[in-house]
Amino acid sequence: MRIAIDMDEVIADPLSKFIKLYNRDCGVPLDLVLDPGNEIYHHVPEAVNMKWFDYINEKGFFRDLPVIPGAVAGIQKLQEQHDVYIVSAAMEFRNSLEDKYDWLAEHFPFISWQNIMFCGDKIIEADILIDDRIKNFKDFKGRPLLFSSPHNMLITGYERVDTWEQVLKAIL
Amino acid sequence: MRIAIDMDEVIADPLSKFIKLYNRDCGVPLDLVLDPGNEIYHHVPEAVNMKWFDYINEKGFFRDLPVIPGAVAGIQKLQEQHDVYIVSAAMEFRNSLEDKYDWLAEHFPFISWQNIMFCGDKIIEADILIDDRIKNFKDFKGRPLLFSSPHNMLITGYERVDTWEQVLKAIL
């Protein structure tokens, strides 16, 4: 089977980095927990909301994101039986391209360049797509797996996985 | 219809740049015409063959490539009726990512980030794929259009387009 896997909030964790930067610049608490259905910018005073855009467009933002727990072992496990592709909507942020490439090379060196895709719309042909954004499932003809993230917790009607353990259970 | 379009040798011309660099460094004639079926490296003395790899991995190589004649007007014409995506196997060359992004922004500013894809394998869901490499047609379920380039001139069995004029005639 061909399995496509999103990056942000599925294998990489930008949220904790946002919170760290907001803490540094705006005094937002480091232990901030996002309410279900909320994006990070819902938790920040309006006046500093635009920081989000500054952070994410900065060179280096995506280079040192923490890896989502279980993602490395999970993808290695999937690769034993399946063709695994990383499919990230990186094209929205020009300065994320090299950072994401280098981040993957550091943490997932066993994924070859043939299996990496930076795109906008995810117009891919695959059997499974693991993603935290349902907009990416719109035209997808395979089986979508919604990877839980605070912002999507109020969404129903999709097969949901909360952790990489659950991903493996759902697929293998 | 969804139409996917390759970059190198379809809308961008790396060959003339290779020849210019080989001329500068190795005295290869500037008016070099590639024999049908040949890649650029077939026309270069073996001793300097590795230059190809140096050139293509250098920052800036893809930034100032000439645009293939007719590509800009051709894509604008296709966009009037169809969804056009740029799909480049850029992932092979890490240092090409920003250059290709900036090159597209300069010459094709009417193509939005949602419609750009840098990948390895072209595992895309589209109705038409215009490409000069038949390896990219292997798993493609739509209609492949082989865009002529010296290296593919001996290949038969594919619908072939020699120019952007012919692309428009084949699709519209």
Side-chain angles (χ1 to χ4, degrees):
Chain A
M1 271 199 311
R2 190 183 287 162
I3 301 171
I5 301 172
D6 178 37
M7 284 182 78
D8 294 323
E9 298 174 72
V10 175
I11 66 170
D13 173 17
L15 287 181
S16 67
K17 178 139 186 207
F18 274 127
I19 292 171
K20 221 157 62 178
L21 293 173
Y22 274 121
N23 172 266
R24 189 193 66 191
D25 299 343
C26 324
V28 165
L30 269 174
D31 59 352
L32 174 67
V33 175
L34 273 58
D35 292 333
N38 274 10
E39 306 277 352
I40 178 80
Y41 52 77
H42 290 123
H43 287 266
V44 174
E46 239 186 81
V48 293
N49 229 340
M50 280 307 292
K51 282 273 183 197
W52 178 86
F53 205 70
D54 290 344
Y55 291 149
I56 207 163
N57 279 294
E58 214 166 87
K59 274 255 182 192
F61 179 86
F62 290 95
R63 183 60 189 88
D64 61 353
L65 300 186
V67 179
I68 297 278
V72 171
I75 287 180
Q76 282 177 314
K77 192 86 192 151
L78 291 179
Q79 275 187 331
E80 288 172 11
Q81 297 177 43
H82 302 290
D83 295 323
V84 173
Y85 287 84
I86 302 298
V87 180
S88 169
M91 217 50 73
E92 188 171 3
F93 305 107
R94 184 252 189 209
N95 285 340
S96 77
L97 298 173
E98 290 185 353
D99 283 342
K100 280 174 176 257
Y101 185 99
D102 294 340
W103 186 91
L104 285 169
E106 179 185 347
H107 299 289
F108 297 83
F110 47 85
I111 298 176
S112 76
W113 67 265
Q114 284 94 341
N115 292 56
I116 299 173
M117 182 180 274
F118 293 164
C119 59
D121 298 342
K122 299 193 176 176
I123 55 160
I124 52 167
E125 171 104 30
D127 300 294
I128 292 177
L129 171 57
I130 308 171
D131 209 297
D132 67 304
R133 300 272 169 191
I134 59 169
K135 69 175 177 189
N136 294 321
F137 297 149
K138 199 172 56 90
D139 289 329
F140 182 62
K141 292 184 181 145
R143 173 185 170 198
L145 282 184
L146 183 62
F147 199 94
S148 288
S149 181
H151 71 81
N152 68 30
M153 291 312 284
L154 303 181
I155 292 170
T156 57
Y158 289 89
E159 186 179 4
R160 179 185 288 278
V161 282
D162 295 326
T163 62
W164 267 93
E165 213 166 58
Q166 288 187 19
V167 169
L168 294 182
K169 210 179 288 177
I171 295 178
L172 298 178
Chain B
M1 271 200 311
R2 190 184 286 162
I3 301 170
I5 302 171
D6 178 37
M7 283 182 78
D8 294 323
E9 297 176 70
V10 176
I11 67 170
D13 173 16
L15 287 181
S16 66
K17 178 137 186 209
F18 273 126
I19 292 170
K20 221 157 62 177
L21 293 172
Y22 274 120
N23 172 266
R24 190 193 64 191
D25 298 343
C26 324
V28 165
L30 270 174
D31 59 351
L32 175 66
V33 175
L34 272 60
D35 291 334
N38 273 9
E39 306 278 352
I40 178 79
Y41 51 77
H42 290 123
H43 287 266
V44 174
E46 239 186 80
V48 292
N49 227 341
M50 280 307 293
K51 282 274 183 196
W52 178 87
F53 206 70
D54 291 345
Y55 291 149
I56 207 162
N57 280 293
E58 213 166 87
K59 273 257 185 191
F61 179 86
F62 290 95
R63 183 59 190 87
D64 60 354
L65 300 186
V67 179
I68 296 278
V72 171
I75 287 181
Q76 282 178 314
K77 192 84 192 153
L78 291 178
Q79 275 187 331
E80 288 172 12
Q81 297 176 43
H82 302 290
D83 295 323
V84 173
Y85 286 84
I86 301 299
V87 180
S88 170
M91 217 50 74
E92 188 171 3
F93 305 107
R94 184 252 189 211
N95 284 341
S96 77
L97 298 173
E98 290 185 353
D99 284 342
K100 281 174 177 258
Y101 185 98
D102 294 340
W103 186 91
L104 284 169
E106 179 186 348
H107 299 289
F108 297 83
F110 47 85
I111 298 175
S112 76
W113 65 266
Q114 285 94 341
N115 292 56
I116 299 172
M117 183 180 272
F118 293 164
C119 59
D121 298 342
K122 300 193 176 178
I123 55 159
I124 51 166
E125 171 103 31
D127 300 293
I128 292 177
L129 171 57
I130 308 171
D131 209 297
D132 67 305
R133 301 272 169 192
I134 59 169
K135 69 175 176 187
N136 294 322
F137 296 149
K138 200 172 55 93
D139 288 331
F140 182 61
K141 292 184 180 144
R143 172 185 171 198
L145 283 183
L146 182 62
F147 199 93
S148 289
S149 182
H151 71 81
N152 69 30
M153 291 311 285
L154 303 181
I155 292 170
T156 57
Y158 289 88
E159 184 179 3
R160 180 185 288 277
V161 282
D162 295 326
T163 62
W164 268 92
E165 213 166 58
Q166 288 186 20
V167 169
L168 294 182
K169 210 179 287 177
I171 295 179
L172 300 177

